[in-house]
Amino acid sequence: MATYSEIQTRVRRRVIDLPSAVLTEVPKLINEAMKSIQRKHNFKVMKSLAGPFTTTVDTNTLGAVPSNFKEYRGLPYFVDYYGAYHDITVAENIQSPNDRYDATDKNSPKVLLESIPTDANVRNWLVYPLADGYSDWSDGEYRVYVPYWRYVADLSGDTETSWVTTSAEELLFCKA
C-alpha cells in the first residue's frame, strides 16, 4: 500500500535528469492515471447510490447529478412507503420522455433524464411525467434513488491513500 507521496517519488525516480516542468506535473499525472484506470473498469469501490431524492408536485426537477458521477449502475427506482421497489427507465435523450408524455401529464416517476449540462458540467436529474402527489408517503411525494458508478476522489495530501493506491499501485505507477 503506497501513499500519494510514495507513488510520486517512484515516478520521479524513473525519469532520468528530471526536468522541473515534468517534476511539477507528476502529481497531476498520477491523478490522471487514476482516472484513466477507472474509465476502463468499474471496481466495487466505485459503487454509489444517490438519494433519496423527494419529488415535488408539478415539477420535473429531482436533484443534482453528483460531480463524481461516471455512469448508471442499473436502473433508478422509487421506493413506496411499504418498501416495494419500482424501476424507472433512463432516457437516452429528451425525445424519449417527450414522445411518451405531454407537458401536463402527471403520475409516479417513470423516466429519468439528465438535463443539459452547464459549461461547468452541472446538471440535474429530471423525472417524467410530472409528480402527481399521490405517493403512499404521508407527504404524497416519491422517494427516488439512482444507483451509479462514481469516480474515486483525486489524491491531494502526501499521506493520502485510496483503493486505487492500495489495489492497483503498480498499474497507477506505470500509467503515470
Side-chain angles (χ1 to χ4, degrees):
M1 175 172 85
T3 65
Y4 187 37
S5 177
E6 291 168 343
I7 293 171
Q8 289 180 56
T9 301
R10 285 186 70 191
V11 171
R12 287 182 194 125
R13 249 189 260 139
R14 290 290 171 105
V15 181
I16 299 169
D17 296 327
L18 184 67
S20 61
V22 175
L23 176 69
T24 58
E25 286 289 312
V26 169
K28 186 175 181 175
L29 291 170
I30 291 168
N31 280 316
E32 287 174 354
M34 193 164 77
K35 186 81 80 170
S36 174
I37 293 165
Q38 294 174 81
R39 269 191 217 99
K40 293 179 182 176
H41 303 283
N42 291 326
F43 302 101
K44 189 169 185 151
V45 71
M46 295 168 62
K47 283 185 174 186
S48 197
L49 181 67
F53 295 102
T54 304
T55 60
T56 305
V57 175
D58 294 332
T59 327
N60 292 105
T61 303
L62 188 61
V65 176
S67 59
N68 64 358
F69 181 85
K70 178 186 175 196
E71 62 190 15
Y72 294 99
R73 185 178 54 84
L75 290 175
Y77 57 90
F78 71 88
V79 180
D80 65 29
Y81 182 78
Y82 301 101
Y85 290 67
H86 306 271
D87 288 342
I88 300 172
T89 304
V90 175
E92 291 294 321
N93 55 49
I94 189 65
Q95 200 61 41
S96 177
N98 284 343
D99 285 347
R100 294 179 63 185
Y101 305 105
D102 290 330
T104 58
D105 285 349
K106 296 180 184 182
N107 205 330
S108 61
K110 306 282 187 216
V111 177
L112 183 79
L113 174 71
E114 288 182 37
S115 68
I116 297 170
T118 65
D119 289 343
N121 199 29
V122 175
R123 54 200 195 279
N124 289 305
W125 276 314
L126 310 171
V127 288
Y128 291 88
L130 295 170
D132 60 12
Y134 293 124
S135 162
D136 53 5
W137 291 90
S138 61
D139 61 2
E141 300 302 337
Y142 299 90
R143 306 310 190 263
V144 178
Y145 296 84
V146 183
Y148 70 99
W149 294 103
R150 68 180 178 95
Y151 287 109
V152 174
D154 283 352
L155 300 167
S156 58
D158 284 345
T159 59
E160 269 191 270
T161 61
S162 74
W163 180 89
V164 180
T165 63
T166 303
S167 302
E169 176 186 350
E170 192 66 27
L171 181 59
L172 182 61
F173 161 69
C174 290
K175 187 101 174 133

